[in-house]
Amino acid sequence: MSTATSTASEGKHYLNAKHTVLSWLLTVDHKRIGMMYLVSLVVFFLIGGAAAVLFRLELMTPAGDLLRSETYNKLFTMHGIVMIFFFLIPSIPAVLGNFLLPIMVGTRDVAFPKLNLASWYVFMLGGILAFVAIVGGGVDTGWTFYTPYSTMYANSNVILAVCGAFIAGFSSIMTALNFVVTIHKMRAPGLTWFRLPLFVWAMYATSLVVLLGTPVVAITLVMIFVERAFGLGIFNPALGGDPVLFQHLFWFYSHPAVYIMILPSMGVVSEIIACFSRRRIYGYKFVAYSSLAIAVIGFFVWGHHMFVSSQSTYAGMIFSFLTFFVAVPTAIKVLNWTMTMYKGSISLEAPMLYAFGFLGLFTIGGMTGLFLSTLATDIHLHDTYFVVAHFHYVMVGGGVMGFLGGLHFWWPKMTGRMYPEGWAIFAAIVIFVGFNLTFFPQFQLGYHGMPRRYHEYPADFQVLHIMSTAGASVLGFGYLLMAGYLGWSLKFGKKAGANPWDARGLEWETSSPPPTENFLVPPVVRHEAYAYEFESETSPESHPSSESSA
Amino acid sequence: MEHPVVPVSTYLKIFAALMVLTALTVAVAFIDWGFFNDVVAMTIAVIKALLVVSVFMHLKYSARLLWLIAGSSVVWFMVMVGLTLTDYRSRDWLLHEGMRPEPWHSVPAEVMQDAAPSGHNGAEAGSTGH
Amino acid sequence: MSDSHPSYLAHQFDDVEQQRQASTMGIWLFLITEVMFFGGLFTGYIVYRGMYPEAWKLGSHELNILLGAINTAVLILSSLTMALSVHAAQLGEQKKLSRNLLATIGLGGVFLVIKAFEYKAKFGHHLVPGEHFHFEGPFSNQVQLFYSFYFTMTGMHAIHMVIGIGILFWLWAQSRKGKFHKDYYNPVEVTGLYWHFVDLVWIFLFPLLYLIGRH
Ligand SMILES: [Cu+2]
């Protein structure tokens, strides 16, 4: 692909192809749409993070002296809604997936580029509605919108927030639909299913979950909407309706939604570990199939969120039993990543640190999940900080770490600039330490009986709460540091060559940043994925970077 | 063949069949089949659905991949219904006598104000199913 | 990449066949999301009907079986005209295509008008859930639950019809400009699949809502 690098030196790529604001707002280029998502997600992350800062401050003291309880409820609801619906669920698919997936399968764009653009607008519309609901009075139902509270008692802003989440759901459906069709119908010549990067497999599995699950939460939110706005009775106990039915329908989507957040991270981690161990992923097919297995099994377990609702004990037993099965494909993945690193030549750049962070934290998150999926222990731990710590280990320790690792790994490809490695390593360590300091004490808090969602607590818990708040500040500092040097690198970072990591995969065979249609010469694939035993055609040694040839 | 040209006569035959089945489903609704009332109604509906999907929607002539996609949606719907019903169908089973919970569908008296005195109410019918 | 890139072939596709397969697969994937979307309502319906079979029968008895049956027939007929539209597009028969599209739009309109009359009758009989709901007979609360599902399910279905009619109008305008021919009729085919799906939903709604315990 020497043609790619030589024309890159002429300086035309997707970022500078056109400059007007309108050329961004009306773009159908999957790379630009991915970048637009990135910017939007950063804003949502800041909003969700700000809420967390406020309620962590409140929790420094046992008394409720900073916030009133209603305000506190609104803040954690805002944190949950924004972080889950508007950051975690779209994070990797909409940013990295949009940017990379068409390049990884060697095509010019996704199958339906206009639909892809529409997904961003739909997403923003949903985000704005949710934001209006939050600012204009706030919502205090928690991100789960449980009935009958949401339908009968909460203030009417809940209608707006529900609409926002409903609309945002369509954006993930559009993205997922695009990905599945693109993977099926638009792979480059020679790119068979088992030559696909595992990131693509992960995106495929994620998309299936989105397609089968999201519509269910959509109709569930519609039911809340018609009950709340038009006075119909769907879950209304006074009419004989069952509020627990809402929980069934809600968790039918929202448990698999955890896999919408985690599967993409697993895909990212596969790419990173292969590259920085210089080895092909051990048991490639097992890792690929385990993504599908997680996607499927994830749909059979939702009732583990309802052990202490009025769900029957027998159903609880079934769901508890089934839940343990999710651990199997997950364990296969962790084992295979470990085996990949075994006797590999490992180098510890920032993306690899995040991958390590993912492995450790996600494993803790997964293992503590076993306590919660066991019926008897869950009776004790349900709705305590143990649960809070568990899902933050999964969703932040797993999901966000994977996202940050991927962001660093592909930052040179997306922006054409290297981030400063030293700062990145420092920030990765700060984030890791801050994260653990924030959430590890919460396991203890929960085990000792501190319930979630209260702004006051017995004085005995204060030490652990202060540790948690201190950790949150460290974590926040780490994020800001990262935002700082990444922003800095956009202008001052070293120019990146086509393949700064000497990695394998089609995305590294085109220039950084890629040209508008991704490849100047349509690629043909001749190798398995992760062919680290072969010399790369675009390795930094064999080709001068665009900087030096300019 | 992914995009066949189906002869008009086939479409007309399917249309006629659908109309007949619609008339049939109305007619049989007025006959008491006992336990099989829903089975009969749903069988007719499924046959109609299969006719629409296979011919009007060309699935019969389409790639197996599309069969898989269409089939998976049905399977997933059944998973959703099936696992939800594991809860509703087993709510008033007993672990042992001492643990008998309040019937899950017991609705406060003022809500059921109009329950028929004969005891032929919804709650009753719900618990006779097993 | 093919050298001849006709105007109806989008830039990301290599050839017409790839584009056609992509759009067909895309709409089928969309339809499975639709199955799950309505599936959530059907799940709720099944759960509550299992709880309150008597109330469900009483509610169903208030529905007009004749209008429901006529509407079923209208919708099936519209599916036929839709299928014939695709057929005409495949053969490049412009006039037939426009005519069948118009017929489909008209039948969709008839369905909605009949539905509107049914809704109006329900308002008149105070069978719309909410404060003014009034049902003479036992289980009035659970009957209200039935009507909540009746309105949500048929309402969601009607919204799909309205969207479908909008798309059909657009197709009709395009077909008048001669946009569709033997080599390019994906939009007609895709809309057709959507329209048949909406028909399918009704095929299940009709017996489940109108025909319970009529004997
Ligand atoms: Cu779960």
Side-chain angles (χ1 to χ4, degrees), chain A residues 313-325:
Chain A
T313 317
Y314 297 95
M317 287 174 183
I318 292 173
F319 280 120
S320 171
F321 181 69
L322 290 173
T323 300
F324 292 120
F325 282 93

Side-chain angles (χ1 to χ4, degrees), chain A residues 212-240:
Chain A
L212 291 165
T214 314
V216 177
V217 82
I219 190 65
T220 313
L221 295 175
V222 167
M223 291 185 204
I224 291 217
F225 179 83
V226 294
E227 179 155 357
R228 179 76 212 213
F230 303 137
L232 270 59
I234 306 270
F235 306 112
N236 186 351
L239 301 178

Side-chain angles (χ1 to χ4, degrees), chain A residues 146 244 247-248 251-252 255-256 298-309 311-312 315-320 322-323 372-373 375 378 382, chain B residues 83-84 86-87:
Chain A
Y146 266 18
V244 176
Q247 297 184 24
H248 276 296
W251 289 113
F252 179 84
H255 180 81
F299 276 101
F300 295 84
V301 302
W302 78 81
H304 62 216
H305 294 267
M306 301 160 62
F307 288 160
V308 298
S309 70
Q311 178 180 251
S312 94
M317 287 174 183
I318 292 173
F319 280 120
S320 171
L322 290 173
T323 300
L372 296 169
S373 55
L375 261 175
D378 185 65
H382 185 89
Chain B
L83 281 173
T84 304
T86 60
D87 173 17

Side-chain angles (χ1 to χ4, degrees), chain A residues 17 20 61 73 116 121 174 223 228 246 285 319 340 343 346 355 377 379-380 389 392-393 399 421 458 471 480 509 536:
Chain A
T20 58
T61 56
N73 293 351
N116 202 14
Y121 280 100
M174 290 171 181
M223 291 185 204
R228 179 76 212 213
F246 170 82
K285 280 195 182 178
F319 280 120
T340 306
K343 289 194 176 166
I346 295 172
T377 42
I379 305 296
H380 175 64
H392 278 90
Y393 265 83
E421 191 64 48
L480 289 177
E509 290 183 19
S536 164

Side-chain angles (χ1 to χ4, degrees), chain A residues 184-312:
Chain A
H184 266 282
K185 297 292 176 195
M186 302 181 76
R187 299 191 307 277
L191 189 54
T192 57
W193 279 88
F194 290 111
R195 286 180 176 180
L196 286 171
L198 289 165
F199 178 74
V200 176
W201 273 97
M203 294 310 312
Y204 185 76
T206 309
S207 303
L208 295 185
V209 178
V210 170
L211 289 174
L212 291 165
T214 314
V216 177
V217 82
I219 190 65
T220 313
L221 295 175
V222 167
M223 291 185 204
I224 291 217
F225 179 83
V226 294
E227 179 155 357
R228 179 76 212 213
F230 303 137
L232 270 59
I234 306 270
F235 306 112
N236 186 351
L239 301 178
D242 181 15
V244 176
L245 178 65
F246 170 82
Q247 297 184 24
H248 276 296
L249 294 171
F250 181 82
W251 289 113
F252 179 84
Y253 164 76
S254 294
H255 180 81
V258 176
Y259 300 112
I260 299 176
M261 305 173 210
I262 216 63
L263 274 168
S265 271
M266 292 171 158
V268 168
V269 166
S270 294
E271 301 297 313
I272 294 176
I273 286 184
C275 174
F276 293 97
S277 309
R278 320 291 320 153
R279 286 193 66 194
R280 197 175 140 71
I281 289 285
Y282 177 85
Y284 169 96
K285 280 195 182 178
F286 281 93
V287 181
Y289 281 133
S290 64
S291 290
L292 293 183
I294 290 173
V296 171
I297 301 173
F299 276 101
F300 295 84
V301 302
W302 78 81
H304 62 216
H305 294 267
M306 301 160 62
F307 288 160
V308 298
S309 70
S310 68
Q311 178 180 251
S312 94

Side-chain angles (χ1 to χ4, degrees), chain C residues 79-108:
Chain C
S79 250
L80 175 70
T81 56
M82 189 70 235
L84 294 178
S85 308
V86 177
H87 186 263
Q90 284 176 320
L91 299 178
E93 297 168 331
Q94 305 288 349
K95 278 235 176 83
K96 257 193 191 167
L97 170 61
S98 311
R99 223 186 304 135
N100 276 309
L101 286 173
L102 268 189
T104 314
I105 293 171
L107 290 165

